[in-house]
Amino acid sequence: MLKGKKIILGITGSIAAYKATYLICGLVKKGAEVQVVITPAGKEFITPVTLSALSSHPVISEFFSNRDGSWHSHVDLGLWADAMLIAPATAASIGKMANGIADNMLITTYLSCKAPVFVAPAMDLDMFAHPATQQNIDRLRGFGNHIIEPGEGELASHLVGKGRMEEPDRIIEILEEFFTGSQDLQNKKILITAGPTYEKIDPVRFIGNYSSGKMGFALAEECARRGAEVTLVTGPVSLTVTHPQIRRIQVESAEEMYKAAMAEYPQADAGILCAAVADYRPEQVCTEKIKREKTGEMQLRLIPNRDIAASLGAIKREDQLLVGFALETTDGLTNAASKLEKKNLDYIVLNSLQDLGAGFQVDTNRITIIDRKGEITAYPLKGKKEVAQDIIHKLVTLVS
Ligand code: CTP
């Protein structure tokens, strides 16, 4: 799967830099072309001669070649690559990447890179655990970068903890899995609801919520990437779909979303209900803009919307799956488990608004999945793309 793939290997100043030699050998053995870019600090740990001999390419470190003054174009390099892997990635380099501090060739290449980026942190346990590092890593996740979590073990400082760069063999496996693009949802039809709903008050006003649709769109892309035909029923969001196997049905209100979902679900193998549906709508929609002077104190009478998840749960066949979400501020597990039961779902994805980095308008999420057998799986904070992978991985284990 890595045959012919062009990989930029970014090496920064960590003792784990020696492991880059195993990475190069492993990647080259799999048929990949490897171009090493190293930071000045990286060169203190491993020599460019070793790296260029193993990769069969001159190692790039400076903006200019000292020998002939030729310019190394980070832009061309960024466009050339099928993937960029930064391993080891120190706390300093992660900080620069997170904040766009382009003061060396590696960071400028990272900022120019259009290809997927994989980051394998390596550092002392306390540096890794520091909120500054963790926030920078979350930021990278938010950019869509893939973080290859470090392992636990004895570190260069002889302290024991989390911070050891993931082993080269496993890093290569992760790249392979990425490029394999498993087609385990081929011929499956998936219905996804996403975004907020807007409930009209008058021609210029509505009741809405902060949902950005990012989670639902990431789920749609992930299902399509795995071969499914996706119908995405979405409320008003400013996102676009990129995969050709996603059919978008645009709606505005909960009632429109209900009608579209009920019409589509019978043809689907699974439904994933990610939309933040308004539970109530104004009983009356004024056809003219409501004027302040006519009303004085204003009262808005609300009536309940239909529960899309419960309605789909009621018509669900044996051969279909249904997945719901629960966004809770208190008693997350209890509330989510009761929604799972009430709406006849196969599993429910809980995100708690109390978790930093989870919820609306952010690029990260921290989820817990609860299934019908009562199995509870809690995941760490991840980018919404990676969260989508976890949610769909669960779907794949249940889909027949
Ligand atoms: N949902 C739905 N239709 C609704 C309300 C919710 O399809 N009218 C779905 C959501 O997409 C989500 C799940 O039901 O998958 C749970 O949504 P949530 O808002 O957490 O639950 P509610 O049933 O609305 O309960 P409450 O707002 O009281 O927590």
Side-chain angles (χ1 to χ4, degrees):
M1 275 310 131
L2 291 174
K3 198 166 163 52
K5 293 282 182 256
K6 302 186 182 81
I7 315 262
I8 300 172
L9 174 61
I11 302 173
T12 69
S14 153
I15 186 68
Y18 77 92
K19 290 190 185 171
T21 56
Y22 298 104
L23 275 171
I24 299 170
C25 293
L27 290 167
V28 169
K29 217 190 252 168
K30 301 263 179 190
E33 199 178 332
V34 181
Q35 173 62 63
V36 174
V37 181
I38 191 165
T39 61
K43 286 193 283 186
E44 302 289 331
F45 289 89
I46 187 156
T47 75
V49 179
T50 309
L51 301 167
S52 69
L54 294 174
S55 64
S56 311
H57 281 292
V59 168
I60 298 175
S61 174
E62 313 296 334
F63 293 104
F64 297 94
S65 161
N66 284 339
R67 203 176 310 147
D68 59 10
S70 60
W71 163 247
H72 293 138
S73 169
H74 53 90
V75 178
D76 289 350
L77 202 53
L79 294 174
W80 167 85
D82 293 308
M84 181 169 189
L85 165 65
I86 299 160
T90 57
S93 285
I94 288 171
K96 288 181 190 177
M97 287 157 67
N99 293 286
I101 300 170
D103 68 348
N104 66 42
M105 186 65 189
L106 194 153
I107 308 292
T108 50
T109 305
Y110 164 75
L111 292 176
S112 310
C113 190
K114 287 255 182 20
V117 177
F118 296 80
V119 184
M123 65 198 76
D124 188 58
L125 73 165
D126 293 317
M127 289 176 83
F128 184 71
H130 196 282
T133 310
Q134 288 302 314
Q135 273 176 25
N136 287 332
I137 288 177
D138 286 346
R139 206 128 193 246
L140 296 186
R141 284 200 175 101
F143 299 159
N145 297 166
H146 304 261
I147 306 297
I148 304 175
E149 287 284 326
E152 295 204 18
E154 185 171 348
L155 305 166
S157 57
H158 300 300
L159 294 172
V160 176
K162 190 167 177 176
R164 268 177 81 92
M165 187 179 92
E166 181 56 280
E167 292 307 320
D169 285 350
R170 178 62 196 136
I171 294 179
I172 293 170
E173 242 173 55
I174 289 169
L175 288 179
E176 276 183 311
E177 281 164 15
F178 177 83
F179 283 114
T180 311
S182 154
Q183 292 290 293
D184 42 19
L185 288 178
Q186 206 161 27
N187 300 324
K188 298 290 176 206
K189 292 192 171 72
I190 315 270
L191 165 70
I192 297 175
T193 66
T197 64
Y198 285 2
E199 310 301 320
K200 265 203 171 83
I201 298 172
D202 70 11
V204 294
R205 303 181 182 94
F206 60 86
I207 297 173
N209 61 65
Y210 290 120
S211 169
S212 64
K214 282 179 182 166
M215 195 62 248
F217 275 61
L219 284 164
E221 295 287 344
E222 177 61 13
C223 289
R225 193 179 72 78
R226 296 170 95 132
E229 259 177 64
V230 180
T231 301
L232 178 64
V233 180
T234 174
V237 293
S238 57
L239 302 171
T240 50
V241 290
T242 57
H243 201 288
Q245 263 166 235
I246 303 174
R247 181 168 61 101
R248 175 178 184 155
I249 300 178
Q250 186 65 51
V251 296
E252 188 177 284
S253 64
E255 190 57 22
E256 286 170 11
M257 187 174 274
Y258 170 84
K259 284 187 180 141
M262 287 296 275
E264 294 295 328
Y265 190 53
Q267 292 82 260
D269 296 287
I272 307 175
L273 306 167
C274 194
V277 187
D279 288 328
Y280 293 88
R281 66 176 182 276
E283 185 174 36
Q284 269 172 359
V285 180
C286 294
T287 49
E288 305 294 334
K289 186 179 169 209
I290 301 169
K291 291 289 197 197
R292 183 209 293 257
E293 63 269 23
K294 278 191 191 157
T295 54
E297 186 182 287
M298 172 151 179
Q299 287 206 358
L300 205 54
R301 213 181 137 74
L302 302 177
I303 53 168
N305 277 325
R306 290 190 269 202
D307 187 328
I308 302 169
S311 308
L312 297 186
I315 59 163
K316 184 174 78 168
R317 298 187 307 262
E318 288 252 305
D319 62 334
Q320 288 180 304
L321 292 171
L322 198 58
V323 180
F325 276 71
L327 182 68
E328 305 293 341
T329 48
T330 49
D331 298 330
L333 285 176
T334 319
N335 286 332
S338 112
K339 282 176 192 172
L340 173 84
E341 201 58 47
K342 249 198 277 179
K343 302 187 189 212
N344 193 21
L345 306 171
D346 294 281
Y347 62 96
I348 191 158
V349 181
L350 164 68
N351 36 99
S352 161
L353 267 188
Q354 280 162 343
D355 283 337
L356 211 66
F360 291 144
Q361 303 285 345
V362 291
D363 293 320
T364 49
N365 205 354
R366 189 199 300 276
I367 59 157
T368 302
I369 292 183
I370 307 163
D371 69 15
R372 284 211 86 88
K373 288 187 220 136
E375 201 173 287
I376 298 172
T377 317
Y379 297 82
L381 187 77
K382 295 185 180 189
K384 283 191 172 166
K385 232 191 223 173
E386 291 161 298
V387 173
Q389 287 171 1
D390 291 336
I391 294 169
I392 301 308
H393 180 76
K394 176 82 178 172
L395 187 80
V396 169
T397 61
L398 299 176
V399 96
S400 49

